[in-house]
Amino acid sequence: MEAHLDIAGVGKRFRQTVVLEDLSLAMRKGEFVSLLGPSGCGKTTLLRILAGLLSPDGGRLHLAGRDIGRLPPHRRNIGVVFQNYALFPHLTVFDNVAFGLRARGTPREEIAPRVRRLLDMVRLGPMASRAIAQLSGGQQQRVAMARALAVNPELILLDEPLSALDRKLRETMQVELRQLLRELGMTAVFVTHDQEEALALSDRIAVMNAGRIEQLATPAEIYARPASPFVLDFVGQSTALHGEVVEAGDGRLSVQTAYGVLRAQGHFAKRARVLVAVRPERIAPRPAPDAEWTGIDLPLAAQTFLGSRRLLHGHLGGGDRAIVELPAETEISGDMLPISWRITDTLVFPAPDVAE
Amino acid sequence: MTRLGIGWLAVPACVFCLLVFALPLALLLLESLRDGQGWTLDGYRNFLGSAYSWQVTTRTLRLAVLTTLICIIIGYPAAFALARARGVWQALFVAALLLPLSLSVIVKAFGWTVLLRSNGVVNRLLMASGLTDAPMRLIFTETGLLIGIANIFLPFMVLPIFSVIRQIDPRLTDAAATLGAGPIHGFTRVVVPLTMPGVVAGVTLVFSMSIAAYVIPTLLMGDRYQTLSTTIATSFLYLQDPQRGSVAGVVLLVLSLLVVGASVVLARKVRATP
């Protein structure tokens, strides 16, 4: 099947700095893809390039079979929900939502019913004649959604649309947003630096770093099988220990770390420098019971109680870190805790350069 | 401190405004309703009944309206250029706009009499560029007056519009574009409405200053070009007719308020047009 949105080899540099490097990404119709990364990773630049607000140095953009690479923003038929919304302060809620329809010369008699339907959809029907300044943050966010959807775009771009809201409201809005876009079958690109938000909303996540996509996969896969130490570190928490391969063969590894020899799976040469990692909820608070498990004795530094869970933080040096997630009722005492996990749950990466 | 306590702090300013602004206006109004014998509307009757007064009033109004229009036409794009200029350029432009304000109006008006002479810089430029063969008569003509007065009042149009443009979120035009608005639609429906407060401020300043201008018309047109301001001056200074002067003063004030009020209403309309 042909991709609905096809980004091929897009690059962008500002003076000497490479902001996007030969980036490609294809999306199905109706798919929700998050661009997740720290600030400065190029995710907002990519969004602006898609919207036509910034021109790339090279590459091609196709949307619904149309080459949009050279079209100005007003011909692309892409809706954008801006960070802080960029609502028109001089217009009412109704006129904000109607703006795109009027700009396209939609007949007057079609505008009112369409705007009303969208306002009902975002539950702002009674607010139609309000001024923007009279609305709360969450309401403004919904106006911005309705405004972007009113023109029935082929693609909607969301630039951290929830970041200005407080935590409770943000979680409610996440659910609403996802439901609304799914009902409309809307293809969406969602820019965020909040990994929880990306995990909760996305069909697929593109984890970006330094102008490149480090990994493009489903949320479950990103979490369970991070493609690089950067993804491991940026999405979710993890225990990560540096070490050297001391035995290798048959897809099985033994790695010497500062806290003992760990067994893992993977293909590395003997003497290779590697990073061994495991997710916190995969860890059990006991010594390895059999050959399917591997583990260390963990010096404990602190505990954090999170209601349903309890997090144990290890006291490690030399760039190593450890975090263990246990049910809240687990009683832990003492300074040392034997921990272990299944060999199949172990993640092994080539050790990142010391410079990083 | 209580709310009332803070409110008292405004008393000196209010008293000052009353004494310096409201009281003289009230006295002017009283003076216009009085002659040697007592209260009368004769002053207004005479003024409104005189063809000459009407001529002076329409001339004054035309001068102020044309000056304001010229300042908008030149000043509006200039304010955008100023807002878009970067770094040193912006500082230079602002300096070029502000420095003339530190000169007396009289000096500037004299400057224009020199520039507008038949062998002045303006005429030499016109002839050198081949636009005219012989020197144009500019000094003591309304064209010359408009060139001079518009130049002198232009900063008062540019600066308020400039300060409003600087506050407009550039993402608003991005948003308009992504919604399908071409550059012209986005400009007329988003940028122009949002600059209206600046335009109103500029119009208020330029209109009320040019309708009351005294020095510039006198120097660039001479005594025979009578405006409401010169009428006020001659009434008080030469004719010793305070009633006539006061009536002209009240008429000037009312016209000024009417036009400024109308510009506010018009701007609200533009702003609210979706």
Side-chain angles (χ1 to χ4, degrees), chain A residues 56-75:
Chain A
D57 298 334
R60 286 174 299 106
L61 295 175
H62 281 86
L63 179 62
R66 208 161 54 115
D67 184 351
I68 59 164
R70 302 209 185 289
L71 293 180
H74 63 279
R75 299 251 169 76

Side-chain angles (χ1 to χ4, degrees), chain A residues 48 51 53 73-74 78 80 82-84 86-91 95 99-100 102-104 147-148 151, chain B residues 169 171-183 185-186 189-190 193-194 270-274:
Chain A
R48 292 182 65 80
L53 299 170
H74 63 279
I78 294 177
V80 183
F82 290 85
Q83 198 173 9
N84 301 326
L87 296 173
F88 303 124
H90 58 298
L91 298 179
D95 291 331
F99 188 93
R102 289 191 175 125
R104 283 153 204 245
R147 183 179 71 173
V151 292
Chain B
D169 184 346
R171 280 173 318 171
L172 293 179
T173 40
D174 286 351
T178 62
L179 289 165
H185 191 96
R189 296 307 163 96
V190 176
L194 291 173
V270 172
R271 201 173 143 83
T273 305

Side-chain angles (χ1 to χ4, degrees), chain B residues 253-266:
Chain B
L253 187 65
V254 169
L255 283 176
S256 198
L257 287 176
L258 279 179
V259 172
V260 168
S263 79
V264 171
V265 172
L266 192 69

Side-chain angles (χ1 to χ4, degrees), chain A residues 167-182:
Chain A
R167 190 185 174 88
K168 258 250 155 59
L169 185 58
R170 193 161 64 221
E171 282 166 10
T172 324
M173 295 296 292
Q174 278 178 14
V175 179
E176 268 185 33
L177 178 84
R178 192 68 191 94
Q179 224 167 357
L180 180 66
L181 293 177
R182 191 166 283 154

Side-chain angles (χ1 to χ4, degrees), chain B residues 195-209:
Chain B
T195 53
M196 276 301 134
V199 175
V200 168
V203 166
T204 305
L205 287 170
V206 171
F207 185 83
S208 49
M209 286 193 303

Side-chain angles (χ1 to χ4, degrees), chain B residues 81-115:
Chain B
L82 194 56
R84 297 278 151 83
R86 290 282 156 260
V88 184
W89 287 110
Q90 193 176 57
L92 281 175
F93 288 155
V94 170
L97 210 55
L98 289 182
L99 279 180
L101 294 180
S102 62
L103 283 179
S104 148
V105 175
I106 298 177
V107 174
K108 280 183 283 191
F110 265 125
W112 275 106
T113 62
V114 175
L115 291 174

